[in-house]
Amino acid sequence: MKNGATMAEAMGISTFRYKMEVFVIAAVLAAISGWLFAFFQRTVNPSPFSIGKGIEYLFMAVLGGVSHVWGAFLGAAVVKLTEDQLQVLLPRLIGTSGNFEGIVFGVVLIVVLKYAPEGLWTFVVRKLPRADRKRDWDTAPALPARDKPARGEPLLQVQAVRKQFGGLTAVNDVSFDIQAGDIVGLIGPNGAGKSTTFNLITGVLALSGGQVLWRGEPITGMASRQIARRGISRTFQHVKMIPEMTVLENVALGGYLRGRSGTFKAMLRLDRQEERGLFAEAERQLARIGMADRMHELAGNLALGPQRLMEIARALCTDPALLLLDEPAAGLRHKEKQALADVLRQLKAEGMSLLLVEHDMEFVMGLTDRIVVMEFGTRLMEGTPAQVQASPQVRAAYLGTEH
Ligand code: ADP
Ligand code: MG
């Protein structure tokens, strides 16, 4: 939720619901501490709850690090200890008494936000030895899987979808169909509207016109998490992940919709069995794309190519019926590309359907059943790889711009 909601929503997570839950939990904790405070003091007056105190609590959290539990303790300790010191030291330095520590804390806050926006605890974390997550999921129960559509069943029908950004028509009445078991390529020069088409199909952007049908049912206007629930999963052209989590944890996020435990079960640690199942599935998907040996690395430390592969594993973890990949081979080395093509072929053999945006022509030609070519937001043509390759129109529009 902190790094942007698009990825979480694309994995089926209702970020609004979780923000609300976090808010309620925080309110309950505040209420309990207020009750304990009143019980202890035997009187209640407004000054401990003033705006100044509120700012101080916020300062403690930001200074320590808002995304770390121990950051709150560190922040509170640092603020309280330095406040005591400053109250003695400052009047001696300046010569008059007064609340000057507020000024010092103001300066400290600016420095912290500039040089350690994640808080002081991150410096401690970096010094601590990092233990790999204990691998205890060999006997974990398998996650529920969805019934896969039969080969040839119409899956996705994109009907005259349109997207306008102000005066720019990024996608201009584009139509195409995908049947179960197909690998369809979507190609076109930069700025042709391929990623925007992806965002229209997956509900990340609202359509300006047209409609999208999923197995005969309109999904136009649905939120991306509702679309994800129906079995469409995707990767992003600009990788979206949580860099400070491990590869395994990032991939396990994709399994969110296959879990049943909610917040309260998780708080009481009653979801451990299910969590083991999620990690087992995440490891299985990582092994499939050849990254199991890197599962304990921090996602943020990976190069761009492996980050893309990780996103594919995350998308596979949702158990999709249709997989949308936005430039999966970009940034991969030749060997890695071949390995990726093998994985995609194997997915097809298992009955998965794929829509693939890709720049590498060789990669698309060898892999896809059909190709849709876009230029300036419109559909230029659709055909088999051989037809597309032979088309002078496509050559002029697409291959011509490659030089
Ligand atoms: P592609 O993925 O084919 O390279 P995009 O779908 O990213 O192309 O972009 C298509 C066009 O729409 C480009 O001209 C781009 O500048 C524009 N565009 C994409 N997203 C936005 C946005 N959020 N606001 C305004 N213009 C956008
Ligand atoms: Mg793009």
Side-chain angles (χ1 to χ4, degrees):
M1 286 188 282
K2 188 158 166 268
N3 289 0
T6 310
M7 183 271 281
E9 291 275 337
M11 295 299 122
I13 296 165
S14 168
T15 49
F16 176 78
R17 206 189 89 197
Y18 279 102
K19 281 179 187 164
M20 191 62 103
E21 281 181 10
V22 168
F23 183 79
V24 169
I25 291 168
V28 167
L29 289 176
I32 293 173
S33 28
W35 171 68
L36 287 173
F37 184 76
F39 187 75
F40 174 65
Q41 295 273 311
R42 310 217 156 241
T43 60
V44 181
N45 71 73
S47 66
F49 310 100
S50 65
I51 182 99
K53 286 291 178 190
I55 292 171
E56 191 178 320
Y57 301 141
L58 189 65
F59 176 56
M60 288 172 180
V62 171
L63 184 72
V66 277
S67 49
H68 303 278
V69 172
W70 291 104
F73 289 86
L74 181 68
V78 169
V79 168
K80 277 299 158 198
L81 292 176
T82 39
E83 195 177 18
D84 276 354
Q85 297 293 318
L86 287 175
Q87 271 166 356
V88 179
L89 201 67
L90 284 179
R92 240 191 267 160
L93 275 178
I94 300 168
T96 58
S97 59
N99 284 334
F100 298 115
E101 60 276 6
I103 301 171
V104 175
F105 282 141
V107 174
V108 170
L109 182 62
I110 291 170
V111 172
V112 166
L113 286 179
K114 175 132 180 63
Y115 294 102
E118 299 293 318
L120 297 179
W121 187 253
T122 47
F123 294 109
V124 182
V125 169
R126 262 178 243 159
K127 291 275 177 300
L128 294 176
R130 212 170 53 80
D132 287 349
R133 184 175 283 282
K134 216 172 120 264
R135 210 181 154 289
D136 59 356
W137 48 76
D138 273 334
T139 57
L143 297 181
R146 94 177 64 238
D147 290 331
K148 294 292 178 315
R151 188 173 293 270
E153 182 191 322
L155 269 193
L156 187 78
Q157 289 163 280
V158 178
Q159 300 177 338
V161 294
R162 191 177 183 83
K163 182 67 192 179
Q164 264 157 321
F165 294 114
L168 174 84
T169 308
V171 178
N172 190 357
D173 296 344
V174 168
S175 306
F176 57 89
D177 293 348
I178 299 179
Q179 274 89 39
D182 280 356
I183 301 190
V184 177
L186 184 61
I187 64 170
N190 260 327
K194 306 178 301 286
S195 295
T196 307
T197 306
F198 262 41
N199 288 337
L200 294 177
I201 295 170
T202 53
V204 171
L205 289 172
L207 286 103
S208 312
Q211 67 168 348
V212 182
L213 300 182
W214 171 249
R215 303 177 83 173
E217 175 205 15
I219 54 170
T220 320
M222 282 186 189
S224 56
R225 62 170 184 281
Q226 293 167 309
I227 294 174
R229 197 174 280 279
R230 281 165 175 74
I232 304 183
S233 196
R234 66 168 298 173
T235 65
F236 294 89
Q237 181 171 0
H238 304 287
V239 176
K240 293 191 196 296
M241 55 173 188
I242 303 180
E244 57 275 14
M245 277 169 51
T246 63
V247 171
L248 183 78
E249 288 160 347
N250 268 282
V251 173
L253 275 179
Y256 172 79
L257 283 176
R258 300 166 77 182
R260 292 280 158 270
S261 307
T263 309
F264 289 99
K265 265 195 166 174
M267 279 167 75
L268 299 172
R269 299 192 158 236
L270 296 174
D271 64 339
R272 293 301 129 128
Q273 189 71 357
E274 187 177 288
E275 194 182 77
R276 276 196 288 278
L278 284 176
F279 285 131
E281 175 72 7
E283 190 190 1
R284 204 167 66 83
Q285 299 302 351
L286 277 169
R288 206 170 185 184
I289 56 158
M291 273 184 69
D293 54 331
R294 307 189 70 176
M295 67 180 174
H296 296 304
E297 283 182 41
L298 287 186
N301 293 347
L302 296 181
L304 189 60
Q307 282 182 359
R308 286 186 184 288
L309 294 177
M310 178 184 76
E311 268 208 321
I312 297 173
R314 187 178 66 202
L316 286 174
C317 221
T318 66
D319 185 30
L322 173 66
L323 195 56
L324 274 62
L325 304 178
D326 201 345
E327 309 209 6
L332 294 190
R333 287 190 292 261
H334 186 65
K335 272 248 164 59
E336 292 172 320
K337 271 187 196 177
Q338 284 178 329
L340 176 63
D342 289 339
V343 172
L344 298 185
R345 273 192 208 98
Q346 188 207 331
L347 288 174
K348 179 189 154 84
E350 289 167 18
M352 179 84 73
S353 322
L354 290 137
L355 178 62
L356 193 70
V357 166
E358 195 42 71
H359 257 111
D360 185 333
M361 289 297 269
E362 200 188 334
F363 188 80
V364 191
M365 292 300 168
L367 197 64
T368 50
D369 303 310
R370 260 176 325 120
I371 293 177
V372 178
V373 188
M374 284 181 77
E375 191 193 18
F376 302 126
T378 51
R379 193 183 77 167
L380 200 61
M381 75 165 291
E382 181 178 339
T384 62
Q387 286 168 335
V388 167
Q389 230 162 0
S391 158
Q393 247 181 325
V394 174
R395 231 173 258 265
Y398 185 70
L399 302 175
T401 59
E402 290 288 274
H403 304 295

